[in-house]
């Protein structure tokens, strides 16, 4: 075979040709056919020259590898030191690892430590074990920085021997999966260079800083490097000067890391490593399991572990005796933390966070100059600031140049859902444009409005979203501390149900009494007289809800006591009437509400203009009998718009307030914290997706191409047909996953696909740790972040060149390291808004 061919899309064929050349340069894989035209002859000559240069430079290491190797020589000193491999398949372009991780002419590969599949939506890799514990895995070599008491201390000589064994793995681990079906499969190490962020950029104070990390893995574990590359990006060829961190003094922390995957180390015996017999060992060696009673006793009892050596010189080297994907990610996290601690000012945080914009159900009418407090913003001012981003129309509105579905309207624009019109006076002439779904209408104050039709046959409505977002940042979070939940919408937990009445006539008589009541004396001391009727167009639905909710601060005790006597379901009916009321109805509003007559008796399901009404409830869990626990939501409730900023690994830096060249809030704190997400993709475990149709976001993610899955079942076209023929179960899936399953069932292709509700079975039980890499929301949906940025810029009247930072108005501490209340007040947290395109693999 003179060329490699693989079942892949056209976009990957250039990468496949590149792999072919790289294998030839390494003397691996099928040779380049020199008879294949002029290119083949030139390529063959270049390969011959490269191999000769490689022979002459056999001991040469890339600059990053040389820094790591020099550290190992200094650290181990008189102990024999293994040399890092200088001949590796360098993953210098994104996507190479993905192609290398599966056979060229097949969709499946089963090895002793991993089972891999090419699936319709990307790749699926199932390691031998579906999850790992952290108990007993953290081992630290002696001789550098102090070894914490809860870690296993490893003699320096033992680390040296384990390093040598890690770099001489058995042949079966060295095979590149892409070449597995060749007569002579290629065997080599693969390597990857990362540059993860350690310190965020703060304009005018400090440039972004990153460290360098080199990954080395036997060829069969190339999927692990695909995994970390997908999360942290690819820093290119370490041999090229452009990628040498040592020449990038402005953006390098000065620290280097190295990770070597070596799952075969779990078979090494303690005696072979030179550890002492039990009777000759110290108390610390015995406590840490660094002594043996039986000469065949394996190191760490044959369990996975990771062994780290590091000192204050700024180099950290870790051996990972396993191929579980989570260990690779957590080791990058550890090394970022190591670099941050040595560099100072900055910190690696186990954090979750989201930029949150409260939203409201505005009903069917909204007037900007009536229903929200005016703040002095004007259309003229908006155009003066951001006219270059807009296509300004003569009628008095503008269209965004980057996203034409973002429309800028005047501050006094009136939204009418029934007429689907937005109208406003302009130079004495009434102007209007059509109100359309899929559009967002931005007022000069940054407040944005759009029309939306919720699920479950609920009516169309206007949704308003405030301009100023709150960055909810949860630092110091232990596993299971809820950091991911901050950024998840609760839409999937909202249920719909009918609006009930006990007795239609009696209930609506009480509603009429409440609507006609005078509420002007409800405030303490009558300091604020408010004589607006409940059905007045000048009063919003939210205003009515607030008016009928007890308030010990503003309302009199007598009024609050009276409110407590009103049944909640009667208040709910008042809110329903307010939600649909039209001024032209005057006193005829009751004619629009009814119930069906069943067997001559009035029913209990309320209808509006012959359409059954729907209300919403929040599902918060189960009771002991397995029934859902639900709570009713306000009639104007609308889930907040959440823009996820963090999920696991966050880099932060503390900056003195007097060092910032930006406008500061009036309550000036002593310092500010700037944070940045270190990950491009998030290693998600969608627990609720086991229930078809529940986790809509996950099911939407699962139908996208280029996914990375782990611990899921590789389903076949036969499985797709069975799922499709199970009509009741199939209907529970969301439409995107239904379409995918139906396509596979009808076409019988490809050979495998993945469903979010089908984790793989381990020992006959579904895995509790199914995972996939989710593209970071701010990178896959830049429009939402652009919209958030424009809203806040307009609200603050910032010029385009002025930096935008989001103040944290709600700092959410984790379970540990809960700072005193005074520190929370003195430390404001800011986050820069950014919107980038997600790089393709």
């Amino acid at each position: 075979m003179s060329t490699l061919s693989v079942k892949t899309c056209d976009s990957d064929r250039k990468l496949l040709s590149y792999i072919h050349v790289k294998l030839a340069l390494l003397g691996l894989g099928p040779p380049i056919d020199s008879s294949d035209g002029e290119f083949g002859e030139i390529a063959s000559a270049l390969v011959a020259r490269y191999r000769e240069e490689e022979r002459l430079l056999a001991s040469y290491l890339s600059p990053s590898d040389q820094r790591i190797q020099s550290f190992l020589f200094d650290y181990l000193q008189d102990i024999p030191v293994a040399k890092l491999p200088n001949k590796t398949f360098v993953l210098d372009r994104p996507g190479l690892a993905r192609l290398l991780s599966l056979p060229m002419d097949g969709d499946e590969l089963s090895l002793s430590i991993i089972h891999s599949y090419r699936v319709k939506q990307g790749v699926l890799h199932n390691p031998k074990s579906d999850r790992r514990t952290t108990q007993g895995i953290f081992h630290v070599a002696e001789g550098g920085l102090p070894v914490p008491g809860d870690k296993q201390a490893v003699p320096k000589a033992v680390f040296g021997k384990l390093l040598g064994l890690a770099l001489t793995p058995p042949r079966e681990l060295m095979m590149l999966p892409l070449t597995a079906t060749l007569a002579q499969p290629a065997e080599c190490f693969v390597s990857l260079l990362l540059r993860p962020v350690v310190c965020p950029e703060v304009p005018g104070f400090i440039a972004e800083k990153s460290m360098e990390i080199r990954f080395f893995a036997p060829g069969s574990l190339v999927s692990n490097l695909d995994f970390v590359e997908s999360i942290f990006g690819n820093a290119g060829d370490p041999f090229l000067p452009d990628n040498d961190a040592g020449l990038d003094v402005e953006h390098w922390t000065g620290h280097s890391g190295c990770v070597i995957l070596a799952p075969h180390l779990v078979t090494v015996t303690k005696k072979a490593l030179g550890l002492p017999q039990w009777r000759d060992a110290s108390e610390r060696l015995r406590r840490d399991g660094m002594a043996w009673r039986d000469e065949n006793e394996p190191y760490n009892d044959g369990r996975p572990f990771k062994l780290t050596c590091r000192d204050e010189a700024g180099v950290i080297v870790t051996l990972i005796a396993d191929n579980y994907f989570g260990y690779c990610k957590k080791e990058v996290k550890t090394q970022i933390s190591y670099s941050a601690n040595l560099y100072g000012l900055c910190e690696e945080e186990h954090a979750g966070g989201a930029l949150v914009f409260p939203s409201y159900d505005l009903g069917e009418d909204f007037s900007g100059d009536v229903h929200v407090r005016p703040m002095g913003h004007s259309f003229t001012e908006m155009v003066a600031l951001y006219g270059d981003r807009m296509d300004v129309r003569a009628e008095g509105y503008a269209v965004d140049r980057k996203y034409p579905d973002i429309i800028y309207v005047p501050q006094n624009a009136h939204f009418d859902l029934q007429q689907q019109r937005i109208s406003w006076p302009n130079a004495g002439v009434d102007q209007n444009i059509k109100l359309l779904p899929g559009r967002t209408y931005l007022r000069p104050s940054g407040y944005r409005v759009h029309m939306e039709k919720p699920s479950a046959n609920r009516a169309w409505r206007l949704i308003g979203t405030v301009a100023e977002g709150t960055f909810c940042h949860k630092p110091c979070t232990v596993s299971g501390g809820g950091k991911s939940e901050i950024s998840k919408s609760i839409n999937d937990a909202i249920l719909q149900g009918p609006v009930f009445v006990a007795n239609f006539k009696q209930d609506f008589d009480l509603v009429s009494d409440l609507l006609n009541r005078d509420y002007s004396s409800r405030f303490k001391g009558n300091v604020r007289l408010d004589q607006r009727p409940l059905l007045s167009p000048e009063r919003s639905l939210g205003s009515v809800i607030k008016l009928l909710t007890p308030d010990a601060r503003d309302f009199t005790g007598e009024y609050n006591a009276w409110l407590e006597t009103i049944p909640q379901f009667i208040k709910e009916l008042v809110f329903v009437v307010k939600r649909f009321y039209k001024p032209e109805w005057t006193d005829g509003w009751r004619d629009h509400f009814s119930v069906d007559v069943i067997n001559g008796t009035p029913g209990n399901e309320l209808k509006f203009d012959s359409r059954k009404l729907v209300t919403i409830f929040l599902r918060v869990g189960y009771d002991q009998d397995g029934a859902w626990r639900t709570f009713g939501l306000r009639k104007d409730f609308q889930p907040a718009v959440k823009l996820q900023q963090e999920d696991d690994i966050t880099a932060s830096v503390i900056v003195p307030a007097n060092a910032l060249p930006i406008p500061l809030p009036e309550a000036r704190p002593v310092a500010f914290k700037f944070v940045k997400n270190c990950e491009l993709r998030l290693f998600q475990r969608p627990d609720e997706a086991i229930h078809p149709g529940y986790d809509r976001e996950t099911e939407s993610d699962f139908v996208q191409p280029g996914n990375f899955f782990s611990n899921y079942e590789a389903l076949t076209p036969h499985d797709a047909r069975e799922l499709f023929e199970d009509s009741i179960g199939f209907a529970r899936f969301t439409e995107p996953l239904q379409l995918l399953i139906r396509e596979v069932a009808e076409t019988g292709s490809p050979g495998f696909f993945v469903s979010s509700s089908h984790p793989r079975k381990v020992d006959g039980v579904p895995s509790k740790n199914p995972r996939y890499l989710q593209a970071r929301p701010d990178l896959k949906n830049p429009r939402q972040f652009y919209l958030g940025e424009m809203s806040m810029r307009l609200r603050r009247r910032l010029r385009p060149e002025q930096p935008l930072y989001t103040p944290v108005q709600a700092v959410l501490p984790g379970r540990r390291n809960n700072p005193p209340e005074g520190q929370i007040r003195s430390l404001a947290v800011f986050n820069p808004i950014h919107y980038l395109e997600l790089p393709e693999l």
Side-chain angles (χ1 to χ4, degrees):
M1 181 183 290
S2 61
T3 59
L4 294 175
S5 61
V6 67
K7 296 163 67 174
T8 184
C9 60
D10 292 339
S11 60
D12 287 335
R13 298 202 182 278
K14 288 184 179 180
L15 281 181
L16 193 63
S17 298
Y18 187 59
I19 289 173
H20 182 43
V21 173
K22 287 180 72 71
L23 287 173
L25 293 175
L26 291 170
L28 305 169
I32 293 178
D33 188 356
S34 59
S35 64
D36 185 17
E38 184 178 351
F39 171 78
E41 183 178 348
I42 295 174
S44 297
L46 291 174
V47 166
R49 177 174 178 176
Y50 175 87
R51 288 180 180 174
E52 179 61 19
E53 290 176 348
E54 184 183 60
R55 185 185 66 80
L56 297 173
L57 300 172
S59 60
Y60 179 74
L61 295 173
S62 69
S64 57
D65 293 355
Q66 188 59 58
R67 286 187 278 271
I68 296 165
Q69 189 69 59
S70 297
F71 161 76
L72 290 171
F73 283 134
D74 294 340
Y75 191 90
L76 297 174
Q77 295 182 359
D78 297 334
I79 300 171
V81 181
K83 189 174 181 182
L84 296 176
N86 67 320
K87 186 179 179 181
T88 68
F89 191 107
V90 178
L91 303 172
D92 53 357
R93 294 188 182 185
L96 291 178
R98 178 68 54 90
L99 286 176
L100 288 168
S101 65
L102 284 159
M104 65 179 68
D105 54 1
D107 292 335
E108 183 180 5
L109 180 64
S110 180
L111 301 175
S112 61
I113 58 174
I114 193 169
H115 201 147
S116 300
Y117 304 86
R118 182 179 290 108
V119 297
K120 180 176 178 61
Q121 311 105 301
V123 293
L124 167 64
H125 297 289
N126 291 332
K128 183 178 180 181
S129 178
D130 66 328
R131 56 178 171 170
R132 294 300 191 195
T133 178
T134 58
Q135 183 178 2
I137 72 164
F138 299 109
H139 299 202
V140 181
E142 296 174 332
L145 295 169
V147 180
D150 62 340
K151 305 295 189 293
Q152 273 90 325
V154 180
K156 189 184 293 187
V158 173
F159 170 78
K161 289 187 177 181
L162 284 170
L163 174 65
L165 292 171
L167 294 174
T168 54
R171 287 192 61 185
E172 61 265 23
L173 286 182
M174 295 290 282
M175 181 193 66
L176 274 177
L178 179 70
T179 65
T181 55
L182 293 180
Q184 292 184 328
E187 297 175 2
C188 65
F189 269 99
V190 286
S191 66
L192 173 69
L193 175 64
L194 303 179
R195 287 289 299 272
V197 174
V198 177
C199 176
E201 177 189 14
V202 181
F205 179 77
I206 193 171
E208 182 175 281
K209 306 286 184 180
S210 63
M211 68 178 301
E212 60 178 1
I213 299 179
R214 286 282 280 143
F215 264 82
F216 295 92
S220 65
L221 303 187
V222 68
S223 58
N224 288 70
L225 303 196
D226 176 22
F227 173 73
V228 292
E229 175 191 281
S230 299
I231 297 174
F232 300 103
N234 188 312
D237 189 342
F239 288 89
L240 298 180
D242 288 349
N243 302 322
D244 182 1
L247 301 178
D248 185 16
V249 293
E250 185 179 6
H251 301 100
W252 183 39
T253 60
H255 308 129
S256 303
C258 178
V259 181
I260 302 171
L261 300 182
H264 58 286
L265 295 183
V266 296
T267 62
V268 180
T269 64
K270 295 179 180 179
K271 182 179 180 181
L273 294 174
L275 287 168
Q277 199 168 0
W278 187 267
R279 64 172 180 267
D280 301 324
S282 66
E283 188 60 33
R284 178 69 189 257
L285 288 172
R286 291 179 179 180
R287 193 208 75 169
D288 292 345
M290 299 298 157
W292 52 272
R293 290 188 175 95
D294 182 343
E295 62 181 16
N296 295 319
E297 188 176 332
Y299 181 81
N300 200 42
D301 298 325
R303 297 173 300 165
F305 65 92
K306 67 175 190 174
L307 171 56
T308 298
C309 76
R310 75 280 189 272
D311 62 15
E312 65 279 0
V315 177
I316 177 171
V317 179
T318 299
L319 314 178
I320 299 181
D322 198 31
N323 69 321
Y324 174 61
F325 295 113
Y327 282 170
C328 292
K329 176 187 171 183
K330 291 301 183 183
E331 183 53 33
V332 174
K333 173 182 171 67
T334 298
Q335 298 199 2
I336 293 173
S337 182
Y338 166 80
S339 177
N341 290 338
L342 290 182
Y343 187 76
L345 283 180
C346 52
E347 181 182 8
E348 183 278 319
E349 299 187 19
H350 191 211
L355 188 59
V356 180
F357 297 84
S359 296
Y360 302 91
D361 180 346
L362 302 176
E364 299 188 351
D365 290 277
F366 174 75
S367 295
D369 54 350
V370 175
H371 293 138
V372 292
R373 180 165 55 92
M375 307 186 70
H377 297 82
S378 69
F379 186 81
T380 302
E381 177 189 46
M382 177 172 65
V383 172
L385 286 172
Y386 290 98
D388 60 335
R389 298 191 183 185
M390 307 172 183
D391 179 11
V392 183
R393 306 294 172 86
E395 294 87 347
Y397 73 100
V399 178
D400 193 90
R401 295 183 186 276
K402 185 171 185 179
Y403 297 101
D405 55 1
I406 297 176
I407 314 296
Y408 301 90
V409 297
Q411 66 275 13
N412 57 350
H414 173 72
F415 295 77
D416 187 327
L417 184 62
Q418 286 297 320
Q419 299 295 324
Q420 274 194 248
R421 287 287 171 188
I422 306 171
S423 57
W424 64 91
N426 181 36
V429 178
D430 290 336
Q431 301 287 352
N432 68 82
I433 57 175
K434 199 161 185 69
L435 173 64
L436 295 172
R439 311 289 199 275
T440 302
Y441 300 91
L442 205 58
R443 300 179 64 244
S445 64
Y447 193 89
R448 53 192 193 262
V449 180
H450 71 277
M451 62 181 294
E452 180 178 303
K453 189 180 189 309
S455 59
N457 201 31
R458 294 167 64 199
W460 283 91
R461 60 206 58 211
L462 294 173
I463 304 299
T465 304
V466 303
E468 192 65 59
T470 297
F471 181 34
C472 296
H473 172 64
K474 186 177 177 66
C476 309
T477 311
V478 297
S479 295
K483 56 183 173 51
S484 296
E485 280 63 33
I486 294 177
S487 55
K488 292 180 179 177
S489 171
I490 65 171
N491 268 316
D492 293 339
I494 293 178
L495 305 175
Q496 293 81 35
V499 177
F500 288 107
V501 292
N503 183 300
F504 177 72
K505 183 179 183 307
Q506 293 179 8
D507 291 347
F508 268 71
D509 285 343
L510 293 174
V511 169
S512 181
D513 291 341
L514 291 176
L515 293 176
N516 294 324
R517 179 187 172 92
D518 180 7
Y519 295 91
S520 62
S521 61
R522 69 187 183 277
F523 293 107
K524 290 180 178 179
N526 289 330
V527 294
R528 289 192 298 165
L529 294 178
D530 182 2
Q531 299 180 350
R532 293 175 298 167
L534 264 63
L535 296 181
S536 168
E538 297 181 358
R539 188 183 287 283
S540 67
L541 174 59
S543 171
V544 175
I545 292 173
K546 183 177 180 181
L547 181 146
L548 293 180
T549 302
D551 185 341
R553 184 185 63 179
D554 292 335
F555 298 159
T556 65
E558 181 183 6
Y559 180 73
N560 285 327
W562 173 77
L563 285 176
E564 296 290 354
T565 66
I566 305 174
Q568 183 61 35
F569 76 93
I570 296 296
K571 294 181 182 179
E572 296 289 332
L573 292 178
V574 173
F575 304 150
V576 168
V577 173
K578 176 63 180 177
R579 165 76 174 78
F580 293 100
Y581 180 76
K582 299 293 181 185
E584 56 267 25
W585 295 351
T586 60
D587 294 331
W589 57 266
R590 291 185 68 152
D591 298 336
H592 295 269
F593 297 91
S594 63
V595 294
D596 290 329
V597 178
I598 304 172
N599 295 329
T601 303
N604 301 104
E605 291 189 45
L606 185 64
K607 300 174 70 176
F608 168 69
D609 285 345
S610 302
R611 174 169 56 86
K612 287 186 178 181
L613 293 176
V614 176
T615 190
I616 54 176
F617 305 88
L618 181 65
R619 176 170 53 189
V620 296
Y622 302 91
D623 64 17
Q624 59 184 2
D625 298 323
W628 285 112
R629 297 185 68 235
T630 60
F631 294 87
L633 295 171
R634 281 177 49 151
K635 289 295 177 287
D636 66 339
F637 176 80
Q638 177 69 20
V641 173
K642 292 185 175 181
L643 305 181
Q644 185 171 14
Q645 297 276 283
E646 309 165 279
D647 183 72
D648 189 37
I649 306 176
T650 293
S652 67
V653 61
I654 304 299
V655 181
N658 57 13
L660 287 175
I662 62 175
L664 300 176
E666 293 180 4
R668 184 187 183 97
V670 296
F672 292 84
K673 181 194 287 185
F674 290 78
V675 302
K676 182 175 182 179
N677 195 336
C678 298
E679 305 166 88
L680 295 174
R681 291 174 175 84
L682 313 175
F683 198 32
Q684 298 287 26
R685 186 184 65 201
D687 297 325
E688 297 299 334
I690 190 72
H691 307 291
Y694 181 86
D695 192 334
R696 293 190 284 267
E697 182 178 12
T698 293
E699 291 196 8
S700 175
D701 288 339
F702 266 52
V703 303
Q704 304 303 317
N707 271 306
F708 185 106
F709 302 104
S710 183
N711 290 330
Y712 280 95
E713 195 71 32
L715 302 176
T716 65
H718 173 74
D719 297 317
R721 286 188 289 272
E722 289 198 341
L723 287 172
F724 179 61
E725 291 168 359
D726 176 16
S727 302
I728 297 175
F730 182 74
R732 295 194 184 103
F733 289 105
T734 57
E735 183 179 4
L737 203 50
Q738 285 183 6
L739 292 174
L740 182 142
I741 294 171
R742 181 185 288 114
E743 180 185 347
V744 176
E746 292 175 350
T747 64
S749 176
F752 300 103
F753 74 100
V754 172
S755 163
S756 56
S757 61
H758 290 78
R760 71 159 165 155
K761 291 186 177 180
V762 180
D763 298 326
V765 179
S767 171
K768 298 294 185 182
N769 194 34
R771 299 271 190 165
Y772 79 104
L773 284 178
Q774 178 194 41
R776 210 171 77 195
D778 60 321
L779 301 184
K780 71 177 182 180
N781 189 4
R783 178 188 180 274
Q784 281 286 76
F785 277 74
Y786 177 86
L787 194 56
E789 181 201 25
M790 285 301 298
S791 294
M792 289 190 289
R793 284 187 171 278
L794 293 175
R795 169 67 174 79
R796 302 181 197 177
R797 295 183 168 94
L798 291 178
R799 296 187 302 276
E801 68 274 9
Q802 289 181 282
L804 173 67
Y805 300 100
T806 307
V808 165
Q809 299 169 13
V811 179
L812 306 175
R815 297 174 182 171
R816 299 181 299 178
N817 302 329
N818 192 351
E821 185 178 355
Q823 290 187 21
I824 296 177
R825 282 200 299 263
S826 65
L827 182 65
V829 185
F830 276 57
N831 187 59
I833 288 291
H834 56 279
Y835 42 94
L836 307 172
E837 298 292 343
L838 186 71
E840 295 288 342
L841 286 177

